[in-house]
Amino acid sequence: EVQLVESGGGSVQVGGSLRLSCAASGFTVRRACMGWFRQAPGKEREGVARISGGVSTNYVDSVKGRFTISVDNAKNTLYLQMNSLKPEDTTMYYCALDSTISSVPCLSRRGAEYNYWGQGTQVTVSS
């Protein structure tokens, strides 16, 4: 059974850092198509970062140079290191897995294509 359990959210001041973790079970992260998404109330879900095969990555423009997505194969865990946080980064963050077979490259898949989701973790950045 696939399970994704996020942790690491919290409250920080502008310019601070947080590291989100997504403990995975039921599959191997280093072979997976995974991502971090965020969604504020009343807004569309946004893909923040994606990782394919534990190596290839991409990021939404607003977080490039500040956020880093990675996996720890030994711990079977997905991470999102968030530095230089801004108030606009405040929202719920979710990790997700797309285990479907698709002709669309992993790094190009939309959130709707991901079939497993964690429960989310709240990030709040205050000025």
Side-chain angles (χ1 to χ4, degrees):
E1 178 186 5
V2 171
Q3 285 193 327
L4 301 171
V5 180
E6 298 108 332
S7 61
S11 297
V12 295
Q13 293 190 328
V14 170
S17 298
L18 286 172
R19 187 177 76 161
L20 305 184
S21 299
C22 176
S25 57
F27 69 100
T28 303
V29 296
R30 66 179 174 88
R31 299 176 181 174
C33 178
M34 300 190 72
W36 286 98
F37 295 80
R38 62 189 180 187
Q39 186 169 22
K43 294 188 177 181
E44 292 188 359
R45 181 172 53 199
E46 177 181 50
V48 175
R50 295 172 175 80
I51 188 166
S52 174
V55 178
S56 301
T57 62
N58 69 4
Y59 301 88
V60 68
D61 286 347
S62 60
V63 307
K64 285 181 180 177
R66 300 189 298 123
F67 291 11
T68 303
I69 188 172
S70 64
V71 298
D72 183 323
N73 297 327
K75 296 182 179 180
N76 209 41
T77 298
L78 175 72
Y79 297 102
L80 184 68
Q81 178 66 45
M82 305 187 296
N83 299 328
S84 302
L85 282 161
K86 304 176 181 180
E88 51 263 43
D89 296 318
T90 295
T91 189
M92 286 288 288
Y93 285 73
Y94 302 86
C95 69
L97 163 72
D98 183 0
S99 65
T100 59
I101 298 174
S102 172
S103 60
V104 177
C106 169
L107 299 183
S108 299
R109 295 178 192 174
R110 298 171 296 114
E113 299 177 77
Y114 285 69
N115 54 336
Y116 291 98
W117 293 83
Q119 82 285 357
T121 186
Q122 176 69 36
V123 171
T124 302
V125 184
S126 57
S127 56

